[in-house]
Amino acid sequence: MSRISQISVGALKVTALRDGELSLPAEVLMNLSDEQSQQITSDENNELSTSNVNAYLIQTESQNLLIDTGCRDLFGPTCGFVKDALREAGLGPENITDIFFTHLHPDHVAGAINADGAAVFENASFKLIDLEYNFWTSDDFTDAEVNGNDWASLARSALKAYEDRVETIAFGNDIIPGVTSVSIPGHTPGHSGFRVDDGNESLMQMGDILHVPNLQLDNPNISTVFDVDPEAALKSRKELLDMVSTDKLLCTSGHMINPKFGYIEKSGASYVMAK
Ligand SMILES: [Zn+2]
């Protein structure tokens, strides 16, 4: 099955690269109903907690921008295929000129380095939001399983591998011409989506506001334990979903399943993908 899904936004070519798919266990999901929790626990192939891990390729005349790099082998055998997806789009790692990280969680940054800690994308810059850089390079981590020392040390290994090519960006600034970072506070301190605008066409990538879209579009109060600031992340999810549905913006996000690109409509307190 194909790992890529392609659209054009003006003159820019945008490709969603499916690094893999997985189901999230009920333990990492908050505000589930008892029935949902039971269904997820009793059926490992349930549709409710299905998730995809997506990276993106944005191509201009002179640049091949990769957004996020997937999770390598850290999340089991169904993930870690970002290079295969890139190859399907006609590129090798050496063709990537720039990488932007929406945030430095393992499923977004692990694919930037191999198991020995060496850079996979030999010619690429390593761009991230300044607040995200400051957060993961601080000494403030405990041994917590989520957002703890292990995750910080992975982020630091990736930063080290690209050390002479790291570029920090302030929110709202261009990543490359035509692609702008968008602040989505809560999931991590420098958590970013991005917009692609060219001519009268636009695309909004909503970062990680949805980890299990089947559940969270229907009930946006369902959250995961991965948020650094859960309250701010919940607020961001609702605000962004309201924004893209009101403005009728074509959108996608880091864990969107199918379709990868679509329009979201508001329906009471829920949201649905437009048919
Ligand atoms: Zn993620």
Side-chain angles (χ1 to χ4, degrees):
M1 202 169 66
S2 174
R3 292 199 166 272
I4 65 173
S5 172
Q6 269 175 336
I7 60 163
S8 304
V9 180
L12 284 76
K13 187 151 88 172
V14 180
T15 306
L17 309 163
R18 186 168 48 88
D19 183 66
E21 53 281 321
L22 69 166
S23 283
L24 296 193
E27 301 86 80
V28 303
L29 302 171
M30 295 181 308
N31 302 327
L32 292 176
S33 69
D34 290 347
E35 297 93 286
Q36 287 168 331
S37 175
Q38 213 159 30
Q39 198 181 333
I40 293 167
T41 309
S42 62
D43 174 12
E44 62 176 31
N45 296 316
N46 80 85
E47 298 263 296
L48 290 180
S49 71
T50 297
S51 187
N52 277 183
V53 176
N54 304 316
Y56 295 83
L57 170 68
I58 300 174
Q59 294 176 278
T60 69
E61 256 174 38
S62 57
Q63 280 169 294
N64 293 316
L65 167 66
L66 179 64
I67 310 248
D68 292 334
T69 57
C71 40
R72 205 173 71 219
D73 57 353
L74 300 188
F75 286 19
T78 59
C79 293
F81 298 99
V82 77
K83 279 195 278 181
D84 300 68
L86 263 183
R87 204 168 305 127
E88 198 182 330
L91 299 183
E94 70 282 3
N95 301 122
I96 299 300
T97 55
D98 305 85
I99 312 173
F100 175 73
F101 294 88
T102 58
H103 58 301
L104 295 188
H105 273 166
D107 52 325
H108 300 260
V109 75
I113 52 176
N114 63 28
D116 301 326
V120 169
F121 302 93
E122 61 219 53
N123 300 315
S125 64
F126 187 111
K127 301 183 188 211
L128 75 167
I129 296 296
D130 46 10
L131 297 173
E132 191 70 3
Y133 177 90
N134 296 344
F135 177 69
W136 292 107
T137 53
S138 80
D139 291 329
D140 234 7
F141 292 90
T142 65
D143 284 333
E145 215 171 296
V146 169
N147 293 315
N149 270 322
D150 284 355
W151 289 16
S153 99
L154 176 69
R156 286 181 206 143
S157 302
L159 283 163
K160 173 111 187 63
Y162 291 81
E163 118 188 280
D164 47 342
R165 298 177 259 158
V166 173
E167 293 173 29
T168 57
I169 299 175
F171 270 129
N173 287 357
D174 277 1
I175 299 165
I176 62 169
V179 186
T180 316
S181 62
V182 175
S183 172
I184 310 175
H187 186 49
T188 62
H191 179 225
S192 177
F194 62 89
R195 278 186 73 117
V196 184
D197 295 283
D198 195 43
N200 55 5
E201 296 187 333
S202 296
L203 168 72
M204 174 78 205
Q205 198 269 14
M206 305 182 289
D208 266 22
I209 65 162
L210 301 168
H211 287 86
V212 281
N214 292 342
L215 284 167
Q216 288 173 298
L217 284 174
D218 185 54
N219 178 6
N221 289 315
I222 294 178
S223 296
T224 69
V225 300
F226 308 125
D227 298 328
V228 172
D229 180 343
E231 221 169 285
L234 179 59
K235 186 161 171 273
S236 286
R237 179 178 315 114
K238 291 179 176 175
E239 282 177 0
L240 203 47
L241 290 172
D242 277 345
M243 195 268 263
V244 296
S245 51
T246 304
D247 294 353
K248 298 186 171 50
L249 262 178
L250 181 64
C251 56
T252 183
S253 81
H255 297 284
M256 197 84 112
I257 307 169
N258 263 320
K260 292 291 183 212
F261 301 98
Y263 294 90
I264 288 174
E265 288 171 354
K266 192 161 185 173
S267 160
S270 299
Y271 299 86
V272 289
M273 294 298 293
K275 292 270 184 290

